[in-house]
Amino acid sequence: MLQRNMLQNDRARALLDSSMPSVRAEENGFGGLVNPALGFLRRRYALIVLTAALAFTASVIYLRITPPTYTAQVNVLLGNPKSQFIEQQSVLAETPIGSPQLESQIQVLKSKAIAASVINQLKLADDPDFKEPGPSWRSVIRKWFGSTPSGRQVDPTDRLVAAFDERLTAARVGFSMVVEIGFSASSAERSAEIANAVANTYIADQLNTKLEANRTATAWLQDRLKELGNQALTAERAVNELKAKNNIVAAGGKLMDEQQVTELTTRLGAVRAQTSEAAARLNRLEKVLASNTADSLSIGSLDAPGSDGQNNSVITNLRQQYLEYATREYEYTTKYGADHLAVVAIRTTMKGIRTSMLDEVRRLAAISRSDFEVAKQRQQEIEKQVALAVSQSRTTNSADLGIRELESSAKEYRALYESFLQRYMGSLQQESFPISDARVISPAAPPQAKSKPKTGLIFAIGMFGGIALGTALGFLRDLMDRGFRTTAQIEATLQLPCLSLVPLLRDSGLKKSSPRTAVQVDQEFGQRTLSRSSAMCWAATAMPLSRFAESIRSLKLAIDLDPTKTSNKVIGITSALPNEGKSTIAASLAQLIAHAGKRVIVVDCDLRNPSLSSNLAPNASAGIVDVLFGTSSLEETVWRDPKINLTFLPGAKRAPLFHTSEMLGAEQTRTLFGELRATYDYVIVDLPPLVPIVDARVITPLIDQFILVVEWGRTTTDVVRHALRAAPDVYEALAGTVLNKTDMKAIKRYDNYHGGYYDNEHYVHYGQVAAE
């Protein structure tokens, strides 16, 4: 059976794969973009329209309650060009205006000093735009989060300046040297007046600042000129006095022979280099002698740079012999052993060679020591000669050096004096014709239209923002919707075919049967006759031309046409969660099979919650539990419907059952199902759901095929996958799934590629009606 079920699932997957290429081809084309978008709009258009309408209404309200604001703009050119004569006469250096300087001037424009000056000039404290408003939402938020100190009194001037700065804008125009100053007010004329006042106040401030800087620089230059003149005169007098005292007419005087000093200095440098080299050589040889003995001589230490081991022929020959004996020692030791006489003799010879090498190093060290002493003595003699020559030149040179120093100082003081005198005269001239570095090139005029709020922009933001928000909410709802909506979604997620799409049954669309008492039914058909009080359970036969009945026929046809069927008589109907309609599907399927003349029995194996028994046999006092325990026979327990020859074995729950899984897995259950299989053509088993309890897994060996009922839009994909993963035997025996309680109008909005498949017109053409 397991092999047959695996073949059946493979066939279902093959059917699914064969039906997907056309859909994939359409998804990869233009339809792959348009159809999902149209489907999304069909699903969420109401939410999008509602959100857009609310946003548009909010925009209208905002425009109605927000007062208009007018913004006037004035352009100011920074870096006003000056004539070359004025630049030469300027005492302060003219710095070229670049991006940093331009940004600095913009900050000056927006400074508190400019704002306070304009406020005082135009008496803006009495202007309605600058009256103290009530608490704004920003101030409330700042107060809540503690960003504004509580209990502190705000200075009225600071409040006016803050309100002024909020309405003032200043920005550079492109990459030019023009700054655009804008001011917003409730009146067009007032905004132009304030903007022009800001520009004029800024230019006046720049001019006053420059004049003040010139006055300060002129005063400082005057004091500095007096100081420099006195210093230059004092230095010149000192030069003349020193020359007269030493009888020096020319600046050359009596000088030391510079060539002799140069030669002695060169010789001293060479001798010091020789002394350092000899000392280094001696130090390296002494380190070799200190770290090596005849018994532990490191041959590699003789090859160190500067150890003379590489250039000495004696050490080179001894090293070569030592290496040959070392090779021979290794060979003899390997061949004869470490204690052999030949090996001992070689070691003795090697020790003698090391001793000879150390002796040669000692000889080299003695030679280096002698060379070091000679070089050191020669260095001392030359140093004495240099010291004597320098001492003799100091006396002769002291007067000349003093004269040169005084002459240099006098020249520097005189040059500084002439330079500062020229700048001082220029600053005096510039004070008589001050020129500003900025000028207005485009004064502000009253604007013709309000700057904000912009009606078109607000409407556009409201409309498109509402559409965007509605679309985002729609996408969010789609992302949160984890339920099964289409057959393709079931097949792709569960890798199982969807055998039928069962429409949602509504109470308003069901045919109501005339209420009859149990006594009347028993008098007409006898005892244990199935109840027809539940219209939902009898919808398939009560409305045989309905779309619901046709979907149940599709399920029966899928069972009958199964090519792998050998004895598929026991069909188990289950679901992942309760209340997904599995009992209704089981009853409807059995009704149509019985109506076709087949012998069929419905077994309610949902022992803990026998809902099907409550609808079909509400007065049953015995059920399958009694048959399993042997207290009642099968014939005494079953209920029948004489009209369609339908047999029903109820659950008949009288008391809570705690070991239902053991009952269903007992040998008595196997014997009962063997008897049912031999008596009836079809055995429809209403099983418990998979997630809450394990009863459906226990009865798996007795079921030929399972049908999984999935509720449309309610059962989530994660729950179903987890349920089937936890019941692998049930999954292997599944014939397919049923998408139950489907909203046939809403499914068109989810299945973009097969929307026409769900139209009711196709069913009406054949006399069928929707059960809604």
Side-chain angles (χ1 to χ4, degrees), residues 242 246 248 254-255 393-405:
L242 188 57
N246 292 279
I248 298 175
K254 263 186 167 184
L255 301 178
S393 65
R394 285 177 180 173
T395 304
T396 307
N397 232 10
S398 59
D400 185 67
L401 291 176
I403 292 172
R404 289 182 182 180
E405 183 178 355

Side-chain angles (χ1 to χ4, degrees), residues 373-427:
E373 294 297 336
V374 173
K376 186 176 181 181
Q377 184 177 3
R378 187 181 306 161
Q379 177 183 341
Q380 292 175 353
E381 292 177 358
I382 296 177
E383 286 177 350
K384 291 179 180 180
Q385 295 176 7
V386 172
L388 181 60
V390 172
S391 178
Q392 292 176 354
S393 65
R394 285 177 180 173
T395 304
T396 307
N397 232 10
S398 59
D400 185 67
L401 291 176
I403 292 172
R404 289 182 182 180
E405 183 178 355
L406 290 175
E407 286 181 345
S408 177
S409 178
K411 289 180 180 180
E412 290 177 358
Y413 282 129
R414 183 58 61 183
L416 284 174
Y417 179 81
E418 297 294 338
S419 175
F420 273 75
L421 180 60
Q422 183 179 1
R423 287 182 174 271
Y424 175 72
M425 297 303 296
S427 72

